[in-house]
Amino acid sequence: MEAEDKTKTYVIFYFKYLMYSLLFPTLPNLVSITYSVSCRICCKYIRQLCIKAENCSPKIFTPRIQIGFMKDRKQIIKLAEEIQFVFSQASFIICMANFMSCLSNLSVIIFYMAQNVAPIIIEILFVLSSSLASMLSIFYNAGQIPIELKRFSQILRDLHENRVLSGIAHENSLVERLILDESTFVLSGCDLVLFTRYGILTVFGTILTYGLLILSVDLHQNR
């Protein structure tokens, strides 16, 4: 009977550990990877469009070609909007969960460092690095989209400027004004967290500040 009870206990423990691993961090990491891949695909299309625009000379940058570029850009914006619609809530929840996981695991690491419990520290470091990588991959890949769009808009502005300086375009058409007035699309999580490259520094700064705060409190208590 005792052997059966131990077996049941081990099975229940293994099942709980498996479910915990699937819920966090496996499931958030899978969603994060899917989101990041979607953003990279979108960036790939923008880069191809940038190459196409760079190979276009100011002389052939006529209103018809400009409309073609605007249509291509519109398709890319629609793709980015689809990514935003599908992953907005999920990305926000994942970032918040990973952020709280980083803070809690960091405090646990500081607590166990004084006790020299190496296996526990290694396990927590693994979870911490996984959470941090998952969160930063969202900021990095999603933040690449506005950068690429800004680059594309700058290429179109340069083409328009070269046409004006060459005396080809004597007055601004409606299409040219639309090119000059283009805005950058930024992905976000529930319109609360903007996924930009600057956000990476903010995340690192917040985690570092929290870690130093916990460390100072721990040192103060041990005095």
Side-chain angles (χ1 to χ4, degrees):
M1 293 295 295
E2 293 182 359
E4 292 181 358
D5 292 338
K6 288 184 178 180
T7 303
K8 291 180 180 179
T9 303
Y10 289 141
V11 170
I12 294 173
F13 175 78
Y14 177 77
F15 180 76
K16 288 183 177 180
Y17 184 79
L18 179 63
M19 292 302 296
Y20 173 77
S21 300
L22 288 175
L23 291 176
F24 190 87
T26 304
L27 183 59
N29 287 346
L30 290 176
V31 177
S32 176
I33 291 173
T34 306
Y35 183 69
S36 299
V37 170
S38 301
C39 293
R40 293 187 68 87
I41 292 174
C42 186
C43 290
K44 179 182 177 181
Y45 290 148
I46 301 174
R47 292 192 190 101
Q48 292 176 351
L49 198 58
C50 288
I51 294 174
K52 182 180 177 181
E54 288 175 343
N55 294 330
C56 180
S57 64
K59 187 175 182 180
I60 64 174
F61 191 60
T62 59
R64 182 177 64 85
I65 300 297
Q66 295 170 16
I67 292 174
F69 280 123
M70 295 295 292
K71 288 181 178 179
D72 292 337
R73 185 182 186 277
K74 187 66 176 179
Q75 292 297 323
I76 293 175
I77 293 296
K78 286 183 178 180
L79 176 59
E81 289 175 348
E82 286 292 330
I83 296 174
Q84 171 71 13
F85 176 77
V86 173
F87 291 99
S88 178
Q89 295 181 355
S91 60
F92 175 77
I93 294 173
I94 289 173
C95 285
M96 290 299 100
N98 286 326
F99 183 73
M100 297 304 297
S101 175
C102 289
L103 297 183
S104 61
N105 287 323
L106 185 61
S107 61
V108 173
I109 289 175
I110 294 174
F111 174 77
Y112 279 109
M113 281 180 62
Q115 302 181 15
N116 294 324
V117 187
I120 297 179
I121 294 177
I122 293 174
E123 181 180 358
I124 296 174
L125 279 174
F126 174 77
V127 177
L128 175 63
S129 60
S130 176
S131 301
L132 191 61
S134 175
M135 179 172 52
L136 294 183
S137 66
I138 293 178
F139 277 89
Y140 182 86
N141 292 290
Q144 185 66 26
I145 292 180
I147 294 176
E148 296 293 341
L149 286 174
K150 184 178 180 181
R151 178 192 168 205
F152 175 67
S153 298
Q154 186 61 44
I155 294 173
L156 295 185
R157 291 191 186 96
D158 291 341
L159 286 171
H160 171 67
E161 182 179 346
N162 291 333
R163 280 177 61 84
V164 174
L165 294 176
S166 301
I168 301 175
H170 300 285
E171 59 181 11
N172 289 335
S173 65
L174 178 60
V175 178
E176 290 171 339
R177 287 198 295 270
L178 288 175
I179 291 176
L180 296 175
D181 295 336
E182 284 181 353
S183 58
T184 303
F185 185 84
V186 180
L187 295 175
S188 66
C190 294
D191 293 327
L192 295 174
V193 180
L194 297 179
F195 297 135
T196 62
R197 292 290 178 85
Y198 300 106
I200 296 177
L201 295 178
T202 304
V203 170
F204 271 122
T206 304
I207 294 176
L208 180 61
T209 303
Y210 179 81
L212 293 175
L213 178 62
I214 295 297
L215 183 60
S216 63
V217 172
D218 184 67
L219 293 175
H220 180 73
Q221 291 178 351
N222 292 332
R223 286 181 179 178

